[in-house]
C-alpha cells in the first residue's frame, strides 16, 4: 500500500494545471510537471495524502496532496497536486515546491455533488492538520530537505 513509500520527498517546479477550478472552490492545488509525476514510484496508490510543503525558501506549511488520474491525458497518466494549508498573497507558478508526504488519508472517490466534494476535502484538511501535529509527522517539518542549497531559485513567501 501507500505506507511503504512514505515518507516521500519531492521537489519540482509548479506548473499550470488543467483548470478544474480548484481555486474557485477555495482549494487551489499547485501542480507538478509531468516529468516530476513520472519520477514517482509507479505503484504508489492514487488517493489523498498529507505532509509538509515549502515554496522556494519560504516557511514550511501543512499540506494535503492528491495523487490522481489526470483527465488531460485521458486518465492514463497521474497528476500530483498539493494544496498548501496557508493563505498566500500571490500565485507561485514557476517556483520550486518542496514537499514531504508523511501520511495517507483515503483513496480517490467520486462525489455525487460539488458540495459533497468540498465537504470531503474540508474533512481531509482537518484530518491532515490533526495528524501533522503528532510527533512522528511533526518531526519531518524540520527536515534538512527544506533547506535549499544556496544558489537555487529562491523567492520569499
Ligand atoms: P491550476 O489548474 O493551474 O493548478 P488551481 O486553481 O489549482 O490552478 O490553482 C493553483 C495555483 O494557485 C498554484 O499553482 C499556486 O500558484 C496558487 N496558489 C495560491 N495559494 C495556494 C495554496 N494555498 N496552495 C496551492 N496553490 C496555491
Ligand atoms: Mg491545480
Amino acid at each position: 500500500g501507500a505506507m511503504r513509500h512514505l515518507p516521500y520527498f519531492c521537489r519540482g517546479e509548479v506548473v499550470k494545471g488543467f483548470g478544474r477550478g480548484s481555486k474557485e472552490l477555495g482549494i487551489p492545488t499547485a501542480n507538478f510537471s509531468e516529468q516530476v509525476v513520472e519520477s514517482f514510484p509507479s505503484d504508489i496508490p492514487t488517493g489523498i495524502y498529507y505532509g509538509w510543503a515549502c515554496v522556494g525558501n519560504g516557511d514550511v506549511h501543512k499540506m494535503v496532496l492528491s495523487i490522481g488520474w489526470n483527465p488531460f491525458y485521458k486518465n492514463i497518466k497521474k497528476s500530483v497536486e498539493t494544496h498548501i494549508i496557508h493563505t498566500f498573497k500571490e500565485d507561485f507558478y514557476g517556483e520550486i515546491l518542496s514537499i514531504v508526504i508523511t501520511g495517507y488519508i483515503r483513496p480517490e472517490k467520486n462525489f455525487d455533488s460539488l458540495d459533497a466534494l468540498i465537504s470531503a476535502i474540508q474533512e481531509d484538511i482537518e484530518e491532515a492538520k490533526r495528524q501533522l501535529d503528532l510527533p512522528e509527522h511533526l518531526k519531518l517539518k524540520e527536515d534538512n530537505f527544506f533547506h535549499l542549497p544556496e544558489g537555487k531559485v529562491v523567492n520569499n513567501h
Side-chain angles (χ1 to χ4, degrees), residues 17 22 28-31 81:
S22 320
T29 60
N31 293 49
E81 308 186 21

Side-chain angles (χ1 to χ4, degrees), residues 97-116:
L97 174 65
S98 301
I99 63 168
V100 54
I101 308 170
T102 71
Y104 177 77
I105 300 179
R106 61 170 175 85
E108 277 190 292
K109 272 191 282 200
N110 286 315
F111 293 93
D112 295 335
S113 68
L114 199 56
D115 280 354

Side-chain angles (χ1 to χ4, degrees), residues 82-98:
T82 304
H83 171 67
I84 304 175
I85 306 173
H86 177 76
T87 304
F88 289 86
K89 291 198 205 87
E90 296 173 339
D91 286 350
F92 44 85
Y93 289 110
E95 297 207 39
I96 301 297
L97 174 65
S98 301

